[in-house]
Amino acid sequence: MIWKVPEVRVMRDLPFWVALSKVSTLGARRILRLIAYFGTAEKAFLASMDDLLAAGLPLKAARALCDEREGLDPHRVAEEVHGSGFGVLTLACAGYPLLLAEIYDPPAVLYYRGDIDVLSTPCVAMVGSRKATEYGKNAALKLAGQLAAAGITVVSGMARGIDTWAHAGALGAGGPTIAVLGCGPDVCYPPENLKLREKIVSGGGIILSEFPPGTQPKPGHFPLRNRIISGLSRATVVVEAAEKSGALITADCALEHGREVFAVPGNVNSPYSRGCHRLLKEGAAMAEKAADILAALGMAEQETAAVKAMQLSDTQASVLEALQYEPAHFDEIADRCGLPAPQLAATLVELELAGLLRKLPGNFFLRV
């Protein structure tokens, strides 16, 4: 196979993989087909028009390669990538993720920033709606935290909504997380996730993209990104999804890759739960807690502090019992518990610090 080659040749050929990835009409499949035909990325990049056509490249794509390579110096392009603080993995590199290499159309080139070793850890993808409800945010935060505490690396797309809370849950539990982007590794999308992006890298995780630096997000990029999210992962968990949702594309990719698919059940009246309920009807496994996922992956024995019951005082237990899984106002909780306001306030702070509830705007609280 084309990626089982000596390391010396891998390094010599790497600039040409990078250059091929920058040609506008070459996606991963075409790049890999060319390299398989010519034997090296260098020969593919320098091939004549006739040879490119003989390799099966369409005329338009062959013309684009011949035209665009005139302005591409492979060694200079590769140096610019490394000089900007990004690493490069090709399918020929020893560090390329093994699970990802197994899928039908693996990325030819991956650009990254962060700890490359995290790609060899057991991974679970967590995806869902950009318009997440409080229930969905809470579920993603809890599940991702439990998985991270069990030694699982959470993979998501750093999008608004469920993705953001999945990354946050993993980081909050002290675990690394992988963010796969639908843009270049130097482009932060959405822009409000800049701090999250930096926390992912500083927390031992990695930012990953098959798109070269400088590539702006486009609608067509996200289905391609989704296949990487599922391809890296032993299982994919859909937390919230409407009937037509990008998260369902990721679930479909996981099924195509022969990986496990889980769905979190939600409110039957919520449009953001219909996609999850459809998956459950079609045979996806239900995920109510991380233990459900760990058991399916053969890791049920990895009991962790995150999934053990916490020893609570009588007051803490009564407050938690009064809190359901819908937001409740401070006054409503006080009525249910019969506690004076100062004591209730102190107890709520204790439970929040323990990760058992979250404070919401307007003095509302939500049980985790």
Side-chain angles (χ1 to χ4, degrees), residues 212-297:
T215 305
Q216 296 299 311
K218 295 180 180 178
H221 291 174
F222 294 99
L224 296 174
R225 176 205 62 177
N226 293 345
R227 88 189 193 287
I228 300 176
I229 293 174
S230 63
L232 286 167
S233 307
R234 295 173 61 180
T236 292
V237 184
V238 181
V239 177
E240 274 190 322
E243 288 182 289
K244 295 182 179 180
S245 167
L248 299 184
I249 296 175
T250 309
D252 288 342
C253 290
L255 291 172
E256 290 175 7
H257 301 154
R259 314 286 168 78
E260 298 276 357
V261 174
F262 293 84
V264 175
N267 187 328
V268 294
N269 297 314
S270 171
Y272 301 113
S273 293
R274 288 175 187 159
C276 290
H277 293 164
R278 193 194 86 189
L279 288 174
L280 291 169
K281 290 175 184 177
E282 293 174 352
M286 183 184 296
E288 294 180 309
K289 53 189 181 298
D292 299 330
I293 302 161
L294 295 172
L297 297 180

Side-chain angles (χ1 to χ4, degrees), residues 319 323 330 333 344-353 357 365:
V319 172
L323 265 174
F330 181 94
I333 302 169
L344 175 59
T347 304
L348 289 169
V349 170
E350 293 167 359
L351 293 171
E352 184 178 12
L353 292 173
L357 61 79
F365 295 84

